[in-house]
Amino acid sequence: MTEDTGSFKLATSRRRLLGTAVGGAAVSALAMPHIARAAAPIRIGLLQAKEGSIALQAQYLQQGTFLALEQMGNQLLGQPAEIVWDDEPSAQGAGQNALQLIQQQQVVALLGGSLSDAALAEEAVAGQYRVPFIVNNGAAEAITGAKCNPYTFRLQPPVPVQAAAMLPYLKGIGKRWYFLSASYAFGQDIVASFKQLLASIGGTVVGDDEVPVGTSDYSAYILKIREAQPDLVIGGLTSGDLSNFFKQWTQFGMKDKIPFAEIAVGDTDLWSVGRQDVAGIYTSLWYYRDPNNSAKDKAFAAAYQAKYNRPAADKAWMGWYCARIMFEAINAAGSTKPEAIVAALQNWSEVDNGVTVHFDKWNNQLVHRFLIVGVKKDITNKWDYFDVLQSVPSNDAQAAQVFGSASDSACHMTPL
Protein backbone atom coordinates (compact mmCIF):
# COMPACT_ATOMS: atom_id res chain seq x y z
CA MET A 1 0.00 0.00 0.00
CA THR A 2 2.84 2.35 0.82
CA GLU A 3 4.52 1.73 -2.56
CA ASP A 4 1.27 2.42 -4.41
CA THR A 5 0.72 5.69 -2.56
CA GLY A 6 4.29 6.83 -3.20
CA SER A 7 4.00 6.05 -6.89
CA PHE A 8 0.75 7.98 -7.09
CA LYS A 9 2.27 11.03 -5.37
CA LEU A 10 5.32 10.94 -7.68
CA ALA A 11 3.16 10.67 -10.78
CA THR A 12 0.90 13.49 -9.54
CA SER A 13 3.87 15.76 -8.86
CA ARG A 14 5.29 15.07 -12.29
CA ARG A 15 1.96 15.89 -13.97
CA ARG A 16 1.78 19.15 -12.04
CA LEU A 17 5.26 20.15 -13.18
CA LEU A 18 4.48 19.36 -16.79
CA GLY A 19 1.16 21.14 -16.53
CA THR A 20 2.80 24.21 -15.09
CA ALA A 21 5.31 24.26 -17.92
CA VAL A 22 2.56 23.98 -20.50
CA GLY A 23 0.69 26.74 -18.70
CA GLY A 24 3.56 29.14 -19.31
CA ALA A 25 5.64 29.05 -16.12
CA ALA A 26 9.42 28.84 -16.67
CA VAL A 27 10.75 25.49 -15.48
CA SER A 28 14.54 25.13 -15.67
CA ALA A 29 16.37 21.96 -16.66
CA LEU A 30 17.85 21.93 -13.14
CA ALA A 31 14.35 21.79 -11.65
CA MET A 32 13.40 19.01 -14.05
CA PRO A 33 16.43 16.78 -14.64
CA HIS A 34 14.25 14.16 -16.33
CA ILE A 35 13.48 16.70 -19.09
CA ALA A 36 17.19 17.42 -19.68
CA ARG A 37 17.94 13.70 -20.00
CA ALA A 38 15.15 13.31 -22.56
CA ALA A 39 16.58 16.01 -24.86
CA ALA A 40 17.81 15.02 -28.32
CA PRO A 41 21.48 13.97 -28.42
CA ILE A 42 24.18 16.14 -29.96
CA ARG A 43 24.41 14.96 -33.57
CA ILE A 44 27.48 14.83 -35.79
CA GLY A 45 26.94 14.25 -39.52
CA LEU A 46 29.15 11.75 -41.35
CA LEU A 47 29.29 11.71 -45.15
CA GLN A 48 31.06 8.63 -46.52
CA ALA A 49 30.32 6.64 -49.64
CA LYS A 50 28.31 3.45 -49.11
CA GLU A 51 28.83 2.06 -52.62
CA GLY A 52 31.06 2.49 -55.65
CA SER A 53 34.82 2.31 -56.16
CA ILE A 54 35.63 4.16 -52.93
CA ALA A 55 33.21 2.21 -50.68
CA LEU A 56 35.85 -0.02 -49.08
CA GLN A 57 37.98 2.95 -48.05
CA ALA A 58 34.86 4.72 -46.80
CA GLN A 59 33.92 1.74 -44.64
CA TYR A 60 37.22 2.04 -42.76
CA LEU A 61 36.78 5.81 -42.45
CA GLN A 62 33.33 5.22 -40.98
CA GLN A 63 34.57 2.58 -38.53
CA GLY A 64 37.31 4.87 -37.24
CA THR A 65 34.83 7.72 -36.83
CA PHE A 66 32.39 5.68 -34.77
CA LEU A 67 35.22 4.25 -32.66
CA ALA A 68 36.35 7.77 -31.74
CA LEU A 69 32.93 8.58 -30.28
CA GLU A 70 32.75 5.22 -28.49
CA GLN A 71 36.07 6.02 -26.81
CA MET A 72 34.49 9.23 -25.50
CA GLY A 73 31.60 7.30 -23.97
CA ASN A 74 29.27 8.48 -26.76
CA GLN A 75 29.12 11.84 -25.05
CA LEU A 76 30.04 15.43 -25.91
CA LEU A 77 29.76 18.35 -23.51
CA GLY A 78 28.57 15.87 -20.90
CA GLN A 79 25.52 15.01 -23.02
CA PRO A 80 24.62 11.98 -25.17
CA ALA A 81 26.00 12.24 -28.70
CA GLU A 82 25.50 10.26 -31.88
CA ILE A 83 26.81 10.09 -35.44
CA VAL A 84 24.34 10.19 -38.35
CA TRP A 85 25.90 8.54 -41.42
CA ASP A 86 24.71 9.40 -44.93
CA ASP A 87 25.88 8.38 -48.41
CA GLU A 88 27.95 10.12 -51.10
CA PRO A 89 26.38 8.64 -54.25
CA SER A 90 27.83 11.45 -56.41
CA ALA A 91 29.20 14.94 -55.91
CA GLN A 92 25.71 16.42 -56.29
CA GLY A 93 24.18 13.75 -54.07
CA ALA A 94 26.83 14.34 -51.42
CA GLY A 95 25.99 18.03 -51.32
CA GLN A 96 22.29 17.29 -51.06
CA ASN A 97 22.88 14.83 -48.23
CA ALA A 98 25.05 17.35 -46.40
CA LEU A 99 22.15 19.82 -46.57
CA GLN A 100 19.73 17.16 -45.36
CA LEU A 101 21.93 16.40 -42.35
CA ILE A 102 22.07 20.09 -41.47
CA GLN A 103 18.41 20.97 -41.99
CA GLN A 104 16.61 17.78 -40.99
CA GLN A 105 19.00 16.05 -38.59
CA GLN A 106 20.20 19.30 -37.00
CA VAL A 107 23.83 18.17 -36.91
CA VAL A 108 26.25 20.59 -35.25
CA ALA A 109 29.26 19.49 -37.31
CA LEU A 110 30.17 17.41 -40.36
CA LEU A 111 32.90 14.87 -41.13
CA GLY A 112 33.57 13.15 -44.45
CA GLY A 113 34.56 13.59 -48.06
CA SER A 114 35.53 10.14 -49.39
CA LEU A 115 36.46 11.61 -52.78
CA SER A 116 37.59 15.13 -53.53
CA ASP A 117 34.61 15.91 -55.77
CA ALA A 118 32.22 14.98 -52.96
CA ALA A 119 34.29 16.91 -50.41
CA LEU A 120 34.16 20.07 -52.55
CA ALA A 121 30.37 19.83 -52.83
CA GLU A 122 30.01 19.25 -49.09
CA GLU A 123 32.41 22.10 -48.36
CA ALA A 124 30.23 24.53 -50.30
CA VAL A 125 27.20 23.53 -48.21
CA ALA A 126 29.15 23.72 -44.94
CA GLY A 127 30.34 27.21 -45.79
CA GLN A 128 26.93 28.45 -46.87
CA TYR A 129 25.13 27.09 -43.79
CA ARG A 130 28.00 27.84 -41.36
CA VAL A 131 28.60 24.30 -40.09
CA PRO A 132 32.10 23.17 -39.00
CA PHE A 133 33.37 20.46 -41.35
CA ILE A 134 36.55 18.36 -41.39
CA VAL A 135 37.37 16.62 -44.68
CA ASN A 136 38.89 13.30 -43.67
CA ASN A 137 40.00 11.93 -47.05
CA GLY A 138 39.74 14.34 -50.01
CA ALA A 139 43.17 15.64 -51.11
CA ALA A 140 42.40 18.04 -53.98
CA GLU A 141 44.31 21.30 -53.60
CA ALA A 142 41.18 23.45 -54.03
CA ILE A 143 39.63 22.20 -50.75
CA THR A 144 42.01 24.37 -48.73
CA GLY A 145 42.94 26.46 -51.74
CA ALA A 146 40.71 28.36 -54.13
CA LYS A 147 37.49 26.87 -52.66
CA CYS A 148 38.40 27.36 -48.98
CA ASN A 149 35.96 28.73 -46.42
CA PRO A 150 36.34 29.38 -42.67
CA TYR A 151 34.10 26.46 -41.67
CA THR A 152 35.98 23.76 -43.63
CA PHE A 153 39.11 22.03 -42.33
CA ARG A 154 41.12 19.25 -43.97
CA LEU A 155 43.35 16.34 -42.86
CA GLN A 156 45.04 15.18 -46.08
CA PRO A 157 48.02 17.28 -47.15
CA PRO A 158 47.15 18.78 -50.54
CA VAL A 159 48.44 17.05 -53.64
CA PRO A 160 51.39 19.41 -54.31
CA VAL A 161 52.72 18.89 -50.77
CA GLN A 162 52.66 15.09 -51.06
CA ALA A 163 54.05 15.12 -54.60
CA ALA A 164 56.99 17.34 -53.64
CA ALA A 165 57.83 15.06 -50.70
CA MET A 166 57.98 12.07 -53.03
CA LEU A 167 60.13 13.72 -55.72
CA PRO A 168 63.56 12.87 -54.21
CA TYR A 169 62.69 9.18 -54.46
CA LEU A 170 61.31 9.38 -58.00
CA LYS A 171 63.90 11.46 -59.83
CA GLY A 172 66.51 8.80 -59.19
CA ILE A 173 64.38 6.24 -61.04
CA GLY A 174 64.40 8.23 -64.28
CA LYS A 175 63.00 11.32 -65.97
CA ARG A 176 60.68 9.83 -68.60
CA TRP A 177 57.24 9.59 -66.97
CA TYR A 178 53.87 8.25 -68.11
CA PHE A 179 50.69 9.56 -66.45
CA LEU A 180 47.58 7.41 -65.89
CA SER A 181 44.88 9.20 -63.90
CA ALA A 182 41.17 9.10 -63.17
CA SER A 183 38.99 11.91 -64.50
CA TYR A 184 38.14 13.68 -61.25
CA ALA A 185 39.64 16.50 -59.19
CA PHE A 186 42.20 14.40 -57.32
CA GLY A 187 43.56 12.66 -60.41
CA GLN A 188 43.79 15.95 -62.31
CA ASP A 189 45.65 17.55 -59.41
CA ILE A 190 48.16 14.71 -59.39
CA VAL A 191 48.94 15.12 -63.07
CA ALA A 192 49.32 18.91 -62.81
CA SER A 193 51.57 18.71 -59.74
CA PHE A 194 53.84 15.96 -60.99
CA LYS A 195 54.16 17.52 -64.44
CA GLN A 196 55.38 20.70 -62.80
CA LEU A 197 57.89 18.73 -60.73
CA LEU A 198 59.02 16.77 -63.78
CA ALA A 199 59.67 19.99 -65.68
CA SER A 200 61.74 21.28 -62.74
CA ILE A 201 64.16 18.34 -63.12
CA GLY A 202 64.28 18.52 -66.92
CA GLY A 203 62.13 15.43 -67.49
CA THR A 204 59.84 14.33 -70.31
CA VAL A 205 56.17 13.32 -70.42
CA VAL A 206 56.01 10.22 -72.63
CA GLY A 207 52.29 9.55 -72.18
CA ASP A 208 49.22 11.00 -70.49
CA ASP A 209 45.92 9.10 -70.25
CA GLU A 210 42.86 10.18 -68.27
CA VAL A 211 40.34 7.41 -67.67
CA PRO A 212 36.77 7.48 -66.30
CA VAL A 213 36.27 6.63 -62.64
CA GLY A 214 35.10 3.02 -62.47
CA THR A 215 37.13 1.80 -65.46
CA SER A 216 37.32 -2.01 -65.46
CA ASP A 217 39.43 -2.72 -68.56
CA TYR A 218 42.93 -1.23 -68.60
CA SER A 219 44.37 -3.40 -71.36
CA ALA A 220 44.54 -0.64 -73.98
CA TYR A 221 46.30 1.70 -71.56
CA ILE A 222 48.77 -0.97 -70.45
CA LEU A 223 49.66 -1.69 -74.07
CA LYS A 224 50.32 2.02 -74.63
CA ILE A 225 52.54 2.16 -71.55
CA ARG A 226 54.46 -0.91 -72.65
CA GLU A 227 55.00 0.64 -76.08
CA ALA A 228 56.19 3.96 -74.61
CA GLN A 229 58.69 2.28 -72.24
CA PRO A 230 58.72 5.05 -69.60
CA ASP A 231 61.08 5.06 -66.63
CA LEU A 232 58.11 5.49 -64.31
CA VAL A 233 54.30 5.43 -64.29
CA ILE A 234 52.61 8.12 -62.15
CA GLY A 235 49.15 6.98 -61.11
CA GLY A 236 46.14 9.00 -60.06
CA LEU A 237 43.56 6.23 -59.76
CA THR A 238 40.83 5.66 -57.18
CA SER A 239 40.89 2.61 -54.93
CA GLY A 240 38.78 0.12 -56.92
CA ASP A 241 40.31 1.33 -60.19
CA LEU A 242 43.82 0.85 -58.82
CA SER A 243 43.01 -2.77 -57.96
CA ASN A 244 41.73 -3.42 -61.48
CA PHE A 245 44.80 -1.82 -63.01
CA PHE A 246 47.33 -3.77 -60.96
CA LYS A 247 45.73 -7.15 -61.54
CA GLN A 248 45.80 -6.56 -65.30
CA TRP A 249 49.31 -5.06 -65.07
CA THR A 250 50.53 -8.42 -63.71
CA GLN A 251 48.56 -10.38 -66.29
CA PHE A 252 50.39 -8.46 -69.03
CA GLY A 253 53.72 -9.36 -67.43
CA MET A 254 54.49 -5.76 -66.43
CA LYS A 255 54.99 -6.19 -62.70
CA ASP A 256 58.54 -5.14 -61.72
CA LYS A 257 59.22 -4.12 -65.35
CA ILE A 258 58.28 -0.43 -64.98
CA PRO A 259 58.06 1.23 -61.52
CA PHE A 260 54.75 2.71 -60.37
CA ALA A 261 54.13 5.59 -57.94
CA GLU A 262 51.05 7.34 -56.58
CA ILE A 263 50.25 9.61 -53.63
CA ALA A 264 47.63 9.16 -50.90
CA VAL A 265 47.02 5.48 -51.59
CA GLY A 266 45.33 3.62 -48.75
CA ASP A 267 46.22 0.27 -47.24
CA THR A 268 42.85 -1.07 -48.37
CA ASP A 269 43.63 -0.15 -51.99
CA LEU A 270 46.64 -2.44 -51.99
CA TRP A 271 45.25 -5.14 -49.69
CA SER A 272 42.52 -5.63 -52.28
CA VAL A 273 45.14 -5.97 -55.04
CA GLY A 274 46.79 -8.92 -53.27
CA ARG A 275 50.39 -9.76 -52.44
CA GLN A 276 51.19 -11.27 -55.82
CA ASP A 277 50.23 -8.22 -57.87
CA VAL A 278 51.12 -5.18 -55.75
CA ALA A 279 54.21 -3.00 -56.15
CA GLY A 280 55.25 0.64 -56.04
CA ILE A 281 56.09 3.65 -53.91
CA TYR A 282 53.42 5.80 -52.24
CA THR A 283 52.61 8.43 -49.66
CA SER A 284 50.48 7.38 -46.71
CA LEU A 285 49.18 9.43 -43.79
CA TRP A 286 49.66 6.64 -41.25
CA TYR A 287 50.75 3.03 -41.00
CA TYR A 288 49.83 0.71 -38.18
CA ARG A 289 53.38 -0.69 -38.02
CA ASP A 290 55.17 2.65 -38.08
CA PRO A 291 57.54 2.48 -35.07
CA ASN A 292 57.13 6.24 -34.54
CA ASN A 293 53.39 6.12 -33.93
CA SER A 294 52.32 8.13 -30.88
CA ALA A 295 50.94 6.53 -27.72
CA LYS A 296 47.43 7.66 -28.70
CA ASP A 297 47.84 6.16 -32.16
CA LYS A 298 49.04 2.87 -30.70
CA ALA A 299 46.08 2.80 -28.31
CA PHE A 300 43.74 3.41 -31.25
CA ALA A 301 45.38 0.59 -33.25
CA ALA A 302 44.95 -1.79 -30.31
CA ALA A 303 41.30 -0.79 -29.83
CA TYR A 304 40.57 -1.23 -33.52
CA GLN A 305 42.29 -4.64 -33.59
CA ALA A 306 40.26 -5.75 -30.59
CA LYS A 307 36.98 -4.56 -32.11
CA TYR A 308 37.42 -5.78 -35.69
CA ASN A 309 40.01 -8.57 -35.35
CA ARG A 310 42.28 -7.07 -38.02
CA PRO A 311 44.87 -4.28 -38.16
CA ALA A 312 43.72 -0.70 -38.55
CA ALA A 313 44.05 0.60 -42.09
CA ASP A 314 45.27 4.15 -42.61
CA LYS A 315 41.71 5.14 -43.55
CA ALA A 316 40.40 3.87 -40.21
CA TRP A 317 42.98 6.05 -38.47
CA MET A 318 42.04 9.03 -40.67
CA GLY A 319 38.37 8.69 -39.73
CA TRP A 320 39.28 8.28 -36.06
CA TYR A 321 41.77 11.14 -36.01
CA CYS A 322 39.48 13.70 -37.66
CA ALA A 323 36.61 12.68 -35.40
CA ARG A 324 38.81 12.90 -32.30
CA ILE A 325 39.94 16.39 -33.27
CA MET A 326 36.36 17.51 -33.88
CA PHE A 327 35.08 16.02 -30.62
CA GLU A 328 37.95 17.51 -28.60
CA ALA A 329 37.27 20.90 -30.21
CA ILE A 330 33.57 20.75 -29.34
CA ASN A 331 34.39 19.94 -25.73
CA ALA A 332 37.04 22.68 -25.62
CA ALA A 333 34.54 25.16 -27.08
CA GLY A 334 32.06 24.28 -24.35
CA SER A 335 29.35 24.90 -26.91
CA THR A 336 27.81 23.67 -30.15
CA LYS A 337 27.79 27.17 -31.63
CA PRO A 338 29.57 27.08 -35.01
CA GLU A 339 31.87 30.04 -34.36
CA ALA A 340 32.96 28.57 -31.02
CA ILE A 341 33.78 25.20 -32.60
CA VAL A 342 35.69 26.86 -35.46
CA ALA A 343 37.76 28.87 -32.97
CA ALA A 344 38.49 25.73 -30.97
CA LEU A 345 39.59 23.88 -34.13
CA GLN A 346 41.89 26.73 -35.11
CA ASN A 347 43.46 26.61 -31.64
CA TRP A 348 43.66 22.80 -31.39
CA SER A 349 47.18 21.31 -31.36
CA GLU A 350 49.29 18.40 -30.15
CA VAL A 351 52.89 17.28 -30.64
CA ASP A 352 53.71 14.19 -32.70
CA ASN A 353 57.38 13.17 -33.03
CA GLY A 354 58.71 16.70 -32.86
CA VAL A 355 56.04 18.22 -35.11
CA THR A 356 53.38 20.54 -33.67
CA VAL A 357 50.18 19.29 -35.29
CA HIS A 358 47.80 22.21 -35.90
CA PHE A 359 45.55 23.86 -38.47
CA ASP A 360 47.10 26.73 -40.43
CA LYS A 361 44.71 29.62 -39.85
CA TRP A 362 44.96 31.06 -43.36
CA ASN A 363 43.53 27.92 -45.01
CA ASN A 364 42.46 25.48 -42.24
CA GLN A 365 44.87 22.82 -43.51
CA LEU A 366 46.15 20.41 -40.86
CA VAL A 367 49.94 20.45 -40.60
CA HIS A 368 51.19 17.01 -39.56
CA ARG A 369 53.69 14.37 -40.54
CA PHE A 370 53.01 11.77 -43.23
CA LEU A 371 54.95 8.86 -44.69
CA ILE A 372 56.78 7.82 -47.83
CA VAL A 373 56.34 4.05 -48.09
CA GLY A 374 57.51 1.35 -50.48
CA VAL A 375 55.91 -2.04 -51.05
CA LYS A 376 58.04 -4.84 -49.59
CA LYS A 377 59.81 -7.10 -52.04
CA ASP A 378 58.67 -10.15 -50.09
CA ILE A 379 55.28 -9.83 -48.39
CA THR A 380 54.80 -12.60 -45.82
CA ASN A 381 51.94 -11.01 -43.83
CA LYS A 382 48.67 -10.32 -45.64
CA TRP A 383 48.34 -7.00 -43.77
CA ASP A 384 51.96 -5.82 -43.67
CA TYR A 385 52.80 -4.50 -47.16
CA PHE A 386 55.03 -1.49 -46.54
CA ASP A 387 58.50 -0.45 -45.58
CA VAL A 388 58.46 3.07 -44.12
CA LEU A 389 61.08 5.01 -46.10
CA GLN A 390 60.69 8.44 -44.52
CA SER A 391 58.50 10.52 -42.22
CA VAL A 392 57.83 14.04 -43.53
CA PRO A 393 58.18 16.63 -42.01
CA SER A 394 60.49 15.82 -39.11
CA ASN A 395 60.28 19.13 -37.19
CA ASP A 396 58.36 22.41 -37.12
CA ALA A 397 60.81 24.29 -39.31
CA GLN A 398 60.54 21.65 -42.02
CA ALA A 399 56.75 21.58 -41.58
CA ALA A 400 56.54 25.29 -42.35
CA GLN A 401 58.63 24.75 -45.48
CA VAL A 402 56.71 21.65 -46.64
CA PHE A 403 53.19 23.05 -46.11
CA GLY A 404 54.01 26.59 -47.23
CA SER A 405 52.72 29.95 -46.09
CA ALA A 406 49.75 32.20 -46.72
CA SER A 407 51.60 33.82 -49.61
CA ASP A 408 51.84 30.41 -51.32
CA SER A 409 48.14 29.66 -50.91
CA ALA A 410 45.27 30.24 -53.33
CA CYS A 411 42.96 30.46 -50.32
CA HIS A 412 41.50 33.87 -49.57
CA MET A 413 39.77 33.16 -46.28
CA THR A 414 36.60 35.12 -45.64
CA PRO A 415 35.62 36.19 -42.10
CA LEU A 416 33.15 34.12 -40.08
Side-chain angles (χ1 to χ4, degrees):
M1 186 71 178
T2 304
E3 290 180 2
D4 289 343
T5 302
S7 297
F8 174 76
K9 287 180 178 178
L10 180 61
T12 302
S13 298
R14 185 172 185 273
R15 281 196 297 271
R16 284 176 180 167
L17 284 171
L18 288 172
T20 303
V22 171
V27 181
S28 70
L30 290 175
M32 300 177 65
H34 52 281
I35 298 296
R37 284 195 297 270
I42 294 172
R43 288 179 175 154
I44 308 297
L46 177 65
L47 291 151
Q48 308 284 194
K50 297 185 178 183
E51 58 186 2
S53 63
I54 199 70
L56 181 59
Q57 279 194 15
Q59 180 187 56
Y60 280 85
L61 289 160
Q62 170 263 321
Q63 290 170 348
T65 303
F66 277 79
L67 182 55
L69 190 58
E70 288 176 21
Q71 290 178 324
M72 300 191 76
N74 293 309
Q75 287 194 337
L76 295 171
L77 300 173
Q79 302 175 41
E82 65 181 20
I83 295 166
V84 185
W85 177 22
D86 213 335
D87 195 10
E88 297 174 307
S90 63
Q92 182 180 7
Q96 291 170 345
N97 286 344
L99 183 59
Q100 184 270 337
L101 287 172
I102 294 167
Q103 293 186 329
Q104 296 183 28
Q105 298 294 335
Q106 302 293 303
V107 300
V108 303
L110 291 168
L111 298 160
S114 303
L115 290 174
S116 292
D117 285 356
L120 286 163
E122 293 154 7
E123 173 178 28
V125 174
Q128 181 179 353
Y129 288 88
R130 299 174 32 170
V131 175
F133 174 38
I134 300 181
V135 178
N136 59 19
N137 198 43
E141 184 178 12
I143 294 169
T144 50
K147 300 295 184 180
C148 72
N149 69 62
Y151 294 91
T152 299
F153 297 74
R154 193 253 294 277
L155 169 66
Q156 278 264 27
V159 170
V161 171
Q162 297 192 55
M166 188 181 275
L167 182 62
Y169 291 91
L170 304 185
K171 65 182 182 182
I173 296 173
K175 298 181 180 180
R176 300 177 66 256
W177 295 0
Y178 197 111
F179 292 86
L180 182 66
S181 62
S183 55
Y184 74 124
F186 175 63
Q188 292 158 357
D189 265 12
I190 287 178
V191 172
S193 294
F194 276 102
K195 280 184 177 179
Q196 186 174 8
L197 292 171
L198 182 60
S200 74
I201 60 172
T204 304
V205 176
V206 299
D208 183 6
D209 287 321
E210 185 175 292
V211 303
V213 173
T215 293
S216 58
D217 184 0
Y218 282 89
S219 57
Y221 303 108
I222 293 171
L223 289 172
K224 289 177 67 178
I225 294 170
R226 187 167 68 181
E227 179 68 23
Q229 287 296 301
D231 297 322
L232 176 68
V233 175
I234 299 291
L237 304 176
T238 64
S239 58
D241 295 352
L242 188 65
S243 299
N244 291 334
F245 168 77
F246 264 127
K247 289 173 182 177
Q248 293 169 50
W249 186 249
T250 300
Q251 291 169 4
F252 276 80
M254 297 299 292
K255 184 185 176 184
D256 299 326
K257 295 288 182 64
I258 300 173
F260 183 93
E262 185 166 336
I263 65 168
V265 168
D267 298 336
T268 56
D269 299 340
L270 301 184
W271 289 343
S272 63
V273 172
R275 287 178 277 181
Q276 291 71 35
D277 299 327
V278 70
I281 182 172
Y282 306 93
T283 59
S284 177
L285 265 64
W286 183 84
Y287 190 49
Y288 80 101
R289 298 203 61 169
D290 178 8
N292 294 315
N293 281 340
S294 69
K296 288 182 180 179
D297 287 355
K298 289 175 182 177
F300 155 73
Y304 187 92
Q305 176 77 49
K307 186 176 179 67
Y308 292 102
N309 196 32
R310 65 187 180 206
D314 62 320
K315 301 301 179 185
W317 175 85
M318 290 162 67
W320 169 82
Y321 197 55
C322 288
R324 177 167 75 82
I325 293 172
M326 180 66 83
F327 301 155
E328 288 179 358
I330 291 172
N331 283 338
S335 168
T336 57
K337 291 182 179 179
E339 292 75 13
I341 298 173
V342 167
L345 285 169
Q346 290 182 332
N347 289 302
W348 181 93
S349 70
E350 66 180 17
V351 176
D352 177 18
N353 279 280
V355 177
T356 303
V357 184
H358 68 282
F359 289 102
D360 276 333
K361 293 184 179 179
W362 61 82
N363 63 356
N364 289 347
Q365 170 65 53
L366 191 69
V367 174
H368 61 95
R369 71 186 186 97
F370 58 97
L371 307 174
I372 312 295
V373 298
V375 173
K376 294 175 181 288
K377 293 295 183 184
D378 183 22
I379 300 173
T380 58
N381 181 324
K382 68 177 183 178
W383 306 112
D384 182 16
Y385 277 27
F386 295 139
D387 288 319
V388 176
L389 305 178
Q390 187 180 3
S391 178
V392 183
S394 59
N395 54 57
D396 286 344
Q398 189 181 37
Q401 181 180 8
V402 168
F403 282 85
S405 63
S407 61
D408 304 319
S409 177
C411 173
H412 299 289
M413 191 66 76
T414 56
L416 289 175

